[in-house]
Amino acid sequence: WISLLTQPPFVDGLTYRHAQHSVAQGRICAAYAKLCGPLWKDEPVKVLHACAVRWVKLHESAIFQKDIVDARLRWANATFAFSETLRDYADALPDDGLANPPVPLLVEHALSARLHPKIEQQMEDFGMFRRIDTVPNMSIYSPPLILFFQSLMPWSVLDHSGVTATPLLWSDIGRGLATALKDTGLFAVEVLLGVSQLLSSAGAMLRQHF
């Protein structure tokens, strides 16, 4: 292990740390190692050692070295879907993984918002005043293309907590479109029937007078 970890790409790992989340990632890895370290023994360690050897050999090859370096540089500056959550773990300690790990602040705030209504809402319930708050209606779990079209609407607000807004899926849009077409068809049939009855009544009245 010592000979492996003193060779690229392990020895230069600090060069390719993530530009924003390296501290949080390091603390999470330390907490995982402290909690799950005893599980990594015997056969799993042999498999991990074989993967490390293969990684070193690939890095020694001039064919793969440039691609590996480019990929590591892109990763070091990448934006993750869970970047906001990683910021909440920047102050995590390895001991936090031993028992009752702390809930990320983002999730804690979301749960608190659900369990404890806002003061304005409580005052509104007592009839003291009425305040219209913007409710998030764009879920981060909706497909990206749907989120794009939703963002074009001036009333759309993204739910950063991930627990307030209901995800809108393509199947939901399909069912809504089918329902709208069905309702439109029924309305058109009712209109045609109404016009037909009106014409029949008008024709009967004309025949009576003439």
Side-chain angles (χ1 to χ4, degrees), residues 1 37-52:
W1 279 106
L39 302 177
W40 289 87
K41 58 183 179 181
D42 301 330
E43 194 63 29
V45 174
K46 294 179 181 178
V47 175
L48 187 63
H49 186 273
C51 293

Side-chain angles (χ1 to χ4, degrees), residues 4 18-19 34 47 49 64-65 69 72 84 88 98 106 110 112 116 131-132 140 152 154 160 165 180 187 189 199:
L4 285 175
H18 197 273
K34 195 161 187 176
V47 175
H49 186 273
F64 299 106
Q65 185 176 9
V69 171
R72 297 177 78 184
E84 191 68 26
D88 294 332
L98 295 179
L106 188 67
S112 178
H116 305 287
R131 175 178 175 176
I132 300 177
I140 57 177
L152 300 179
H160 295 278
F187 177 75
V189 171
L199 293 176

Side-chain angles (χ1 to χ4, degrees), residues 8-35:
F10 297 107
V11 70
D12 58 349
L14 295 179
T15 305
Y16 301 99
R17 292 183 302 175
H18 197 273
Q20 297 180 354
H21 307 300
S22 59
V23 175
Q25 291 168 343
R27 290 177 180 269
I28 292 174
C29 289
Y32 173 81
K34 195 161 187 176
L35 178 64

